[in-house]
Amino acid sequence: MTIETILPTPDIFSARRILCVQPHYDDNDIAAAGILTQLQQNGAELFYLTVTDDLMGVVDNTLSNEDAAQALTRDQFAAGKIVGVKEQYWLGYPDAGEYDYFAVRRDLLKYIRMLQPDFVFTADPWLTYEAHRDHIQTGLATSEAVMFAGLTKIASSDLIVDTAYKGHDIRGIVFYYTREPNYIADISSTWESKVASVRCYDAQFTSQEMDQLVMALDAKSKQSASGQEFERGEPLKVLHTSALHCGF
Ligand SMILES: [Zn+2]
């Protein structure tokens, strides 16, 4: 018997409720809109949760914080329409700022217990050479919240949610922005729609930067699919939640 027999890599196409936790407004879509669109078309409900307020990335410095936030949200809703996102949530921690890791983890416990997703997507916090702390904190806090969701002695930020929570099965965690993928999603059929969703995020990129981003995604998607029988891929690390501790 192998460890894969005991802890098989979960099938993401069995997902019915997916919570995608991202550091910034655009990460879920830049990293995974191709596969998320397919999973939504396959019958899964998509919930996006954004950890930071993303205000540092807004290119128009003349905008007030309020207007910048409005522009980010407008972009996110436009992209969400293309991908098929059912609901968006925001935690509003300061982008690239100082905030408490455990406060984020408590909030994530709340949303996981409240929404009860069967799969959770987030940024791989162990990506080598990832320098952006928001990405590392978000990925790690999400992983811990997935692991601890059933342990209600570990309080979330909402006592009412904790009291009502009776436990549920999280079948898998999926990391994007990973250097150690164990699954390359074939996104050939949703590539065009992925580009359309990414192009919605124009508060955060000049038109030249956006063209560069799309070119980089174009090259990366083809590179990820090399050796596969399809043209474009998104690299993912799909894990059984028990694989999040002690190297199983
Ligand atoms: Zn980001």
Side-chain angles (χ1 to χ4, degrees), residues 68-89:
Q70 223 168 54
L72 287 167
T73 316
R74 181 200 60 213
D75 293 353
Q76 196 174 41
F77 277 121
K81 239 182 177 168
I82 296 170
V83 179
V85 178
K86 185 181 170 82
E87 207 80 58
Q88 305 267 5
Y89 303 91

Side-chain angles (χ1 to χ4, degrees), residues 25-26 34 48 52 75 89 93 99 102 110 116 130 138 159 171 174 178 183 195 223-224 233 240-243 246:
Y25 279 59
D26 52 0
Y48 277 18
T52 74
D75 293 353
Y89 303 91
Y93 287 93
Y99 52 88
F102 292 97
K110 169 188 162 178
Q116 306 195 8
E130 174 56 70
T138 296
L159 182 62
R171 307 201 49 232
V174 182
T178 185
Y183 179 70
V195 171
Q223 198 181 314
S224 302
H240 189 286
T241 57
S242 299
C246 298

Side-chain angles (χ1 to χ4, degrees), residues 8 25 37 71 77 81 109 116 153 178 186 194 217 226 244:
Y25 279 59
T37 303
F77 277 121
K81 239 182 177 168
L109 279 168
Q116 306 195 8
K153 279 187 185 174
T178 185
D186 174 3
K194 170 173 179 158
L217 289 173
S226 86
L244 288 171

Side-chain angles (χ1 to χ4, degrees), residues 105-189:
R105 198 183 75 178
R106 278 194 294 276
D107 283 340
L108 293 174
L109 279 168
K110 169 188 162 178
Y111 280 94
I112 288 172
R113 288 173 185 160
M114 194 173 82
L115 298 171
Q116 306 195 8
D118 51 10
F119 277 83
V120 177
F121 278 61
T122 193
D124 185 344
W126 300 284
L127 171 68
T128 46
Y129 308 107
E130 174 56 70
H132 206 314
R133 201 174 175 80
D134 291 340
H135 280 230
I136 300 165
Q137 301 244 85
T138 296
L140 189 56
T142 304
S143 305
E144 279 209 309
V146 162
M147 203 166 51
F148 296 150
L151 304 176
T152 44
K153 279 187 185 174
I154 302 176
S156 84
S157 53
D158 191 326
L159 182 62
I160 296 170
V161 169
D162 289 358
T163 309
Y165 184 66
K166 299 283 177 265
H168 82 288
D169 188 24
I170 305 177
R171 307 201 49 232
I173 184 160
V174 182
F175 296 109
Y176 53 70
Y177 294 151
T178 185
R179 261 186 239 288
E180 294 188 50
N182 60 353
Y183 179 70
I184 308 294
D186 174 3
I187 61 156
S188 311
S189 67

